[in-house]
Structure formats: structure tokens, C-alpha cells
Amino acid sequence: MPPISLFNQKCHAQQTSKNVFLSPRDRLHFCIVFKTYLPQVIHFLMIRLIFSFLFLMSASLVFGQGWERVLSGGGQDEARGIVATPDGGYLLTGIYQGIRGAVVKTDADGFEQWHKYYAGTGGQIFSGNAIATTPDSNILIAGTTRPGQFNPDGNIWLMKTDQFGEKIWEKNFGGSQNDAATTVLVLPDGNFIAAGFVTDAMAMRDFWLAKFDPDGSKIWEKFYGNPDDNEIARQILISKNGNIVVVGEREDGPDTDVCVLRLDSEGEFIWQTDYGFDFVPNSFSTDAGYSIAESEDGGLVVAGKTTSLAGQQGGLLLKISADGNPAPTWFKALPNSVFNSIIPDGTGGFFLAGEKQSSLTNENVYLVRVDDEGDVIWENTVGKSGPDVGLAAVNAKDGGLVVAGRSSLNSLLGDTYIYLVKTKADGKVFTDYIEGHVFHDYNNDCQKTANEPIQTDWIVKIESADFTRYATTDESGFFQSLVDTGLYTVTVLTPNSYWQNCQPSVVVPVFNFYDTISLDLGVKAAKSCPQNRVDVSTPLLRRCAENVYTVRYCNLGTIPSIDTRVEVLVDDFLSVTGSSVPWSSVSGNVFTFNIGFLDAGECGNFDLTAWLNCDSTISGQAHCVRAHIFPDSICKTDPTWDKSFVTVEGKCDSQQVKFSATNRSGFGMTQTLDYVIVEDQIIYRTGQIPTLAPGEETLIFSKIANNQTYRIIADQSPGYPGLSYPTAAVEGCKTDTTSNPISTGFYTMFPEDDADAFVSADCQESNDPNFNPAFLKRGHPKGAEVEHFVNPNTDLEFLIRFVNTGADTVRGVIVRDTLSPWLDPASVVPGGASHDYDFQVYAGGIVQFTLPNQLLLPDGSPASGGTSSSGYVKFRVSQKPDLPCKTTIRNRAAIFFDFNAPAASNETFHTVCQLDSVLTTKSQEIFVPGAAVNFFPNPFTDEATVTIDGVQAKIYTLEIYDALGRQVAHQTKPSPEFRLLSFQFSRGIYFYRLAADGRSVASGKIEKH
């Protein structure tokens, strides 16, 4: 098909490109125990056998549960402390390479966002033992530092950093012996308490507690202990009455006991109680408290370890009263385990995390949930083939827990890595992965070879009998999804019909835990053709201001695009003031940018700046910028298509609204095409575009202007292979020079003709110069009436804008949009944005845009009116097919600045219903000067009210006739108001007559489809 110029109509927002314009994202290394390469083709009979075996098994599987992550590092790493961050992610502290203090930030899914390692001079060794966040969003680390790897003596180490781990201050103190901070707790006023131990000259350890101000200066310091015993403080908490409670252990000769210490808020002693359990006569035991939590009744529950059961080590769980009574409320010991952390579960019970011995030489992370009596609700072990330990835990927002520790991966190797495990409230953890690469199969053998390129930012659909998940390929073509055991169907979702999969889908059986199924998925050309996509967008439009439009383009076809160019049509009220790249030519309002050679899969972008006139425009008036990329040929065609291509144009000419249609192809039309004219949001007229010869134009509608907004919507010839529905609109056309307002707000209710990938339009209503909301989510089309009616199967486009209104620079932004269940995650097409981003589609219909940590979004304020502190992302998504009428689609996005709590955008909503079945169609005539007839709501689905204004009478009459002239309704009332019920009318065309005291006031047409 020859190139087509579509610049004869006003615009809106487009079918965005599949392009993502990535900035590379750090990706964790997922270590695996079993790795299975799945061939591309599994014998059909084998699939049937596998499916028969797994069908019943899959019914009992619980899906959508927790995950595990192994974070790559230096080989001698572990996490000893964890804290949840307001953005739903986690901060970890520990040790890296056995010598450096470490802080790692992850997102809510456990993926690393950044890390910092801290080392001193002269071989100093640092380790972080505990971590906390401060009221001013900074980070506190408590730990120890030693002069060298083989020197056992250390000092207490405290460090405060900003929210990205950049050091604010650092404190090292202690004596000449071994001292350490093991725990830290931040108070609401920003002061904090650290605890641990100090060692005296006789090598005896005492409890150490100190309170500090936010700058790390000591407010007070306390030491507790018996000179003849060794004491170590492991954890502290602030009780409900404001006391400080310390748990640890006291070593007295061959015995070690749990030690609990209660202090007032100034660290003054209240009571201390030791708990030891020697159940075997004349034996010695080691009982230690590693973590403590307060129960709902004010009691204290201690977790740790004990060897009191005939020398066997067990996980210790001990409840004591708030007054430190030496007699425990209850005592539990779970064999072959150690508990390193206890946290309340939010229901009166507790989560426990630690380790459990699985063999003589190996242990796994041990996860337990108990009730308020210490009885086990569930337990689970998670780990790799080597020793794995859970050292610290924190509550997850969904009612589960997240545990940090270390994994050795393989018992034969000495390396350890940071290990992160998340469960939901039922303790389930997924440990299997389906992963692989998507590649362009040049030689059509469905086997990946070295010279075959990968496909970036393609969506892979992973389905089971119980749920559907999605994964997105990264810059290396790699995708990965965490799954449970079961049977899965894996399908590559191609971005257009020019591609086809080597196999429509691949069936993947996952039999074992800790299994990774790896497969390469080939795609090949169904047509050798470029497919150029373009997107133009600006986050919001201001009058009397410069507005920056970003144009994104990409070739998602199977071959390169030659002599590529982008034409940008600018609204008459916009004046172009500059662009980030020079344009090659200007013709009227059309600016052409030569791109040249655009390889398959290649993308790019440029900006165009335009000033919106404020002398001849009003706030709320719609203005459009439109982009068209060439070549725009459509390679796949329908044999029934007559190869014609129709566009429509609307203009205000000599105080008249005029719509014309043009056949812009080299082929004649073989049949007429239907169209409708909409006045504001009411269908005013229907008609047909006559058959047009190649290049022929015809005027199809003309009307004296009356300040209303008019739109034409037409069909393309049957079989047209694209998605175009020709449409154009005219707003603000008026016949007088009075101050009568023009109708606004109707222009963006309907889609524009930019569903084909090679065209894009940004049409939006203008705002005042100082309009700068901190968060703005806009859905297009916005839909008709207060219900925001849109037709079924209409794509929706969402733009999400954000502003940094704080006093500090933002380094990274994440936009996370959980789609309505009525939208199809598989159809998401990411579009234009203010910055480069990484794009992902997750399970549950989560669409995530991660802007780079190098973003450096300056501080700003809503009143600033500037754009340097703001940004936006945009995407297009399809409705699920054929949604029933009155389905409401609601959508809201969450914006994360650094690791602050997310800010919520406004909520968009659309109501699905076939517009031509609820719109009151009208070709109205008024017979009484000054009279007006109103239908509301309009459109309507159940009932509507009809009123007559401007006519005084005693009796008012409404008569309705069907197409055969038969009267189907008659109402006579003393008031000029009537009620119409939708169910009274079957599909068809009806005519109405309104009268006052027998005199005709108005007549018109109603159509129900």
C-alpha cells in the first residue's frame, strides 16, 4: 500500500509502540540446584501422559505464594539484619566478602535496587549486625569493626547514611578487647538505642546499652553484668509501657542461660531473670535468647536455642510474664533447630525464623508460625543443596514474613551468599523457575544459534490450570518467572502479526522443588516487513507556556525500515519553538524529521517544544499534536479489501462546521461507508460516504456553527487490515462575536483515529499556566457522560504524571499500576515517557515502569510550573473481550520516589457499554423560537428524562412512533418533563414529537441498536 498522509484531522492518543527505551537494570543472579533444559518440542503423547498425571495433583496446589532470592556477591556474604521500607521493599545489612559492611536495598519482589559496601583503611573489617530506618528517611547500621581478619578484637561500629547508603556519619568506639553492637532501635523522636556487649581487661563480657541523638552523640551509656559471667545482649524492644527489654544469654561456668533484663526509658534497672533448662541430672546445657517479642497480654516471648533435651539442640520458645517471674508461662523446644528471630504475626501468634538440621552436615532455613500458646500452626524448610540459615525476619505487608540470612548453595563449596525468603501467611514459598530467552529464528530451525538476535521487551505468558503469570524479556532477551510445581503452557506474545512463534506454545512440566526449567523460544517472520510505531505525548497542556512533546519511534517489524521519517502535525494554536534534533523540512504546520535506516527492533526518540497561545484560547479547549511515521505500509492484507483508504477532515469554514472524506489510496472504493455525526455527545446524524475514486474528496456534512463540538466517526472499507476508524472533530466554531461560551470537554470523550501503530495523536484539554498537580493519571478516551461510557473492546491509554514536591533530589522512580481485572495484561504496550525506563508485566496484572537510579529528579513544588522536577510514563492496554454493559473499569497507579511510601495517583474509571445502544440519537427540529429540548442523562442505559424549556403551557405531550408510523408511547402531563425507560424499546429507529397545548414544539429521532 502506498504511503498515506493523515494530517487532515484533529487528534488524540495512540496505539503506543512496544518500544520500552530501556536503561539497563541490575539483575540478580538466581542460583539453582537443578537446571533442566526443555527441548522446543515435547512429544504429544508424552504431554498427554504428563497432563493426566498432573491434572489431579494441580488441584491441591496453592499458587501465588512466596519467593526466594539469592543475591550475587563476593562469595563470603550474609545478611544479619533486615527492615521493611515504606515503598514495600527491604533494606538488608550484613557482610560482603567476609570483610566489608554491606547494605542492600531490594524492591517489594526481592530484586536488588542498589547496594553499598563499606571498608576501612589498613585492612579493617566491618560487619553490619542490625539495621533500622529513621524518621527522616535515613538508615542506621549497628555492627562491629576489627583491625584485621585474624584479629578477634573489635570495636562497636555505628553508621548513619542517607536513603541511598551514602555515609552521613560514622562512630567507632570501645575498649582494647572485643566489643560489638548487635541490635539497634530507633525511637519516634529520632534518637536511638543500641545494644551489644563490651569486653573488659579480664576478657569477660557485659551487656552494653547506649542511647544516642540523631547525630550519633551519646545521651547515656549503661553496662550490666556479673564480673564473673559473660553476658551478651542480642536484641532489645520497647514495651507497651515504654520500658526497654533486653534479651541475650549469660554464661556462668559450663552453663549458659537465657537472660532477660527490663529497664526504664533511661536505662535504669527494674529486674533481671535468667532461665536455664537442665532436664537431665548432672548435665550442662546451653540456653540462649536471640530474639524477643511482646505478646498481646504484655508478656514476653523469647526465641533462641537450647541443648537441654539430652544434649540435643532445639529451637527454644519461651514465654515469661511482664514482671519477670522466674517460672515461665510456657516453654517449647522444637528438635534439631535454632530460632534466630521472632516477630508477631498480627493475629496474636508469632513467626519464627532460623535453621533446621536436614542431615549431619546440612541445614535449611526454618520457618514456623505458632499461636499465642506456642503451638505450631505450620512449619516449612527452605534452602539450596548447601547449608542455609535465616538470621533476621520482618513482617510482609500481605500477612506473611520475609527472612534474610545466607545460603551456601552447595555443601562442597565454602562460598555463601545473601539469601532472602518471603512467605505468605500460610508459609508457602515458590522455589521453581521457568526461564529462557526469546530469539529471532533466522534459519527457521527453531534452535538458537550464535548469530540469531534476541527480542527485548516482549511479553511471555505462563499459564496453569489455576493462574496466569507474565514475564518480560530484558535487554538480553531473558525472561524468568517463579512458579510452583505443576504443568504450564508458555507462549510468546508477538507484538504484531508479522511474527509467528516456532511453536504456538510450549508445555512445561515442573516436577521437583528447587527446579529451574530453561527453554529458548524462537520467533520467526510471518512476513518480511518493517512495522514502524510512533508515539507522541506530553503529560499535560498549559496555556501561555511552552509544552514539551516527546516523540518515540520503533521498528517492531521483521526487517529494517529504509528511508524512515516522522512527520509531526502541530495544532493551529501551537507555535513550535525548538526541538532536540533538527527537523529536515517544514510545510505549514507539518514538521518532518528524517530518521533514515531503522533496524528491526531499533528505537529512538526526540522532543518538540511548542508554545500554546493564550490570547485566542480558553482553558479547557482541546488541542492536538499528531505524529506519523513512514514507511507506513501494511504488508498483510485481506483478499476482500478493495485497497481503498479513507480519511475524514473537520474544519470551521465561514462560520460553518464542515466534514469531508477523501480516498487517499490509489484504488477506488467499491462500496459506500457508514458514518455518524455526534454533536457534543449526542448522535446528531447518520449517513454514508459515497464510493470515491482514487484521491477523490467529497463534502459530506455542513452545518451553521452553534458553538457546539462536532465529531464524525466513519468506517473503513471491509477487509481493511489495520485498526483505523476515520474520525475528526471541530470544537469552538461559532457564528457570533458575543461572549457566549463554546462547548468544551467533549473533544476527548471519543477515541481518535490512531489505533494503527504508525500514527499517534496527543489531544487534551488545556490548563491554566500554573496548573501542576503532583500526581495526575489520565485515561483516554475519557468516555461520555459522568459514567465515562466507552464501547466494548476499545483500547484504553493511561498517562501517569508525577512531580517531586519534596526538598531533596529524587534518584529513582518506580511507577506500579495494578490493572483492573477487566483489562488484559497480555495486551499492554508501553509508550512514551519523560525518561528512559525498564518495563515489566508481572503476575496479577501489575505493570511496572522503573526509571533509572541516575534520574536525579530535582526538588520542586506544585506551584513551580516547571517540568524539570516532573516526569511521566504512558501505556496502552486492551479490554478483555466483549465485556458486558455497565462493567466499570477502575485504575489507579502507585508512584514510589526512592524508598518512600508510595504516592497514589487519582483513580480513573470507565463504564463499558455499546455507545450506539445507549446514546439518544437526534436529528432535532425546534418549531417554537426560544424553546429547548433536553435529554439527560445522555447517553442512558436504563432511563432518561426529557424536558421542554422556554415554553409555557397547561398540557405537555410526548408521542413516540416506530419506523412504520405506529405509536409506541404517548404521555400527557401538566409539567414539561417526561420519563423514558430503555426496556420499553426494542432495537430500531423511533421518531418523537413534543407538543405544548397541542402546538408542536420539537421533533426528532431516537435510535436503539
Side-chain angles (χ1 to χ4, degrees), residues 33-53:
V33 177
F34 304 105
K35 187 179 180 80
T36 305
Y37 182 81
L38 188 71
Q40 290 292 304
V41 180
I42 299 178
H43 194 276
F44 177 74
L45 183 59
M46 182 183 296
I47 294 299
R48 292 186 61 183
L49 292 173
I50 291 170
F51 184 80
S52 300
F53 174 76

Side-chain angles (χ1 to χ4, degrees), residues 116-133:
K116 292 287 184 181
Y117 303 133
Y118 308 94
T121 59
Q124 273 190 313
I125 295 174
F126 289 83
S127 62
N129 296 325
I131 190 167
T133 56

Side-chain angles (χ1 to χ4, degrees), residues 386-448:
D388 308 297
V389 177
L391 296 173
V394 69
N395 293 97
K397 288 188 174 181
D398 61 2
L401 78 157
V402 180
V403 178
R406 68 174 181 268
S407 176
S408 299
L409 300 182
N410 191 312
S411 59
L412 300 178
L413 302 175
D415 291 346
T416 61
Y417 300 90
I418 290 175
Y419 194 35
L420 198 59
V421 177
K422 179 190 177 296
T423 80
K424 293 194 82 173
D426 58 7
K428 297 294 183 180
V429 180
F430 283 4
T431 60
D432 298 299
Y433 293 95
I434 294 175
E435 64 178 31
H437 293 83
V438 177
F439 68 96
H440 186 172
D441 185 27
Y442 274 161
N443 56 16
N444 295 327
D445 64 355
C446 292
Q447 300 294 322
K448 189 178 187 312

Side-chain angles (χ1 to χ4, degrees), residues 709-771:
T709 300
Y710 286 87
R711 177 177 291 276
I712 182 173
I713 305 171
D715 287 333
Q716 288 287 5
S717 293
Y720 172 70
L723 302 172
S724 168
Y725 275 89
T727 183
V730 175
E731 177 190 67
C733 194
K734 56 194 300 186
T735 58
D736 57 61
T737 58
T738 67
S739 59
N740 292 335
I742 64 172
S743 68
T744 59
F746 299 102
Y747 199 102
T748 57
M749 287 183 175
F750 301 92
E752 297 296 329
D753 184 18
D754 64 351
D756 284 328
F758 48 80
V759 291
S760 173
D762 184 291
C763 282
Q764 55 179 296
E765 292 140 13
S766 63
N767 302 280
D768 291 332
N770 61 352
F771 181 70

Side-chain angles (χ1 to χ4, degrees), residues 193-200 204-211 220-233 236 243-251 259-274:
I193 299 172
F197 62 87
V198 294
T199 307
D200 62 21
M204 303 301 291
R205 296 176 176 174
D206 289 324
F207 287 142
W208 167 82
L209 270 80
K211 184 175 180 179
W220 52 255
E221 184 176 35
K222 308 285 184 179
F223 306 92
Y224 312 88
N226 188 321
D228 298 325
D229 298 335
N230 278 310
E231 293 99 1
I232 299 176
I236 56 176
N243 289 165
I244 304 169
V245 180
V246 187
V247 69
E249 65 256 28
R250 179 190 301 279
E251 180 186 333
C259 182
V260 181
L261 186 68
R262 194 175 192 108
L263 314 168
D264 68 15
S265 60
E266 297 301 314
E268 297 300 325
F269 181 86
I270 298 176
W271 56 254
Q272 173 201 317
T273 306
D274 297 345

Side-chain angles (χ1 to χ4, degrees), residues 625-884:
V625 170
R626 183 179 187 83
H628 188 170
I629 189 168
F630 299 89
D632 59 2
S633 301
I634 300 177
C635 296
K636 297 190 74 171
T637 60
D638 187 323
T640 64
W641 179 37
D642 62 13
K643 295 185 174 56
S644 66
F645 185 87
V646 172
T647 64
V648 292
E649 179 184 6
K651 60 184 177 180
C652 181
D653 183 17
S654 300
Q655 299 179 337
Q656 286 189 318
V657 175
K658 294 182 178 180
F659 289 118
S660 60
T662 304
N663 177 7
R664 298 196 172 268
S665 76
F667 301 88
M669 294 167 53
T670 60
Q671 64 183 76
T672 60
L673 303 177
D674 292 334
Y675 72 84
V676 295
I677 304 293
V678 179
E679 180 187 82
D680 289 345
Q681 57 187 356
I682 300 172
I683 296 179
Y684 181 84
R685 176 179 296 179
T686 61
Q688 289 187 324
I689 300 173
T691 56
L692 300 175
E696 183 181 358
E697 179 180 5
T698 184
L699 180 68
I700 56 177
F701 176 82
S702 178
K703 183 183 186 300
I704 297 296
N706 62 353
N707 298 7
Q708 306 305 106
T709 300
Y710 286 87
R711 177 177 291 276
I712 182 173
I713 305 171
D715 287 333
Q716 288 287 5
S717 293
Y720 172 70
L723 302 172
S724 168
Y725 275 89
T727 183
V730 175
E731 177 190 67
C733 194
K734 56 194 300 186
T735 58
D736 57 61
T737 58
T738 67
S739 59
N740 292 335
I742 64 172
S743 68
T744 59
F746 299 102
Y747 199 102
T748 57
M749 287 183 175
F750 301 92
E752 297 296 329
D753 184 18
D754 64 351
D756 284 328
F758 48 80
V759 291
S760 173
D762 184 291
C763 282
Q764 55 179 296
E765 292 140 13
S766 63
N767 302 280
D768 291 332
N770 61 352
F771 181 70
N772 192 29
F775 304 102
L776 172 69
K777 184 172 185 183
R778 187 172 70 244
H780 192 90
K782 70 180 181 183
E785 267 298 328
V786 294
E787 293 88 349
H788 295 186
F789 284 111
V790 294
N791 279 325
N793 307 309
T794 297
D795 284 1
L796 299 176
E797 189 172 66
F798 296 103
L799 186 145
I800 303 154
R801 182 181 184 266
F802 49 85
V803 178
N804 175 20
T805 61
D808 296 321
T809 297
V810 170
R811 303 192 188 186
V813 174
I814 295 175
V815 179
R816 198 174 175 108
D817 194 319
T818 301
L819 297 178
S820 162
W822 307 116
L823 298 174
D824 181 10
S827 69
V828 172
V829 180
S834 57
H835 301 78
D836 290 345
Y837 58 78
D838 186 9
F839 162 72
Q840 291 285 326
V841 177
Y842 292 104
I846 296 174
V847 178
Q848 180 168 302
F849 297 82
T850 302
L851 279 66
N853 282 342
Q854 302 91 322
L855 180 65
L856 298 178
L857 202 64
D859 60 288
S861 67
S864 68
T867 58
S868 63
S869 61
S870 66
Y872 73 95
V873 297
K874 190 172 75 169
F875 67 94
R876 193 180 187 106
V877 63
S878 299
Q879 301 176 33
K880 289 186 176 177
D882 302 323
L883 292 176

Side-chain angles (χ1 to χ4, degrees), residues 197 239 245 474 521 1000:
F197 62 87
S239 65
V245 180
D474 64 12
L521 301 175
S1000 293

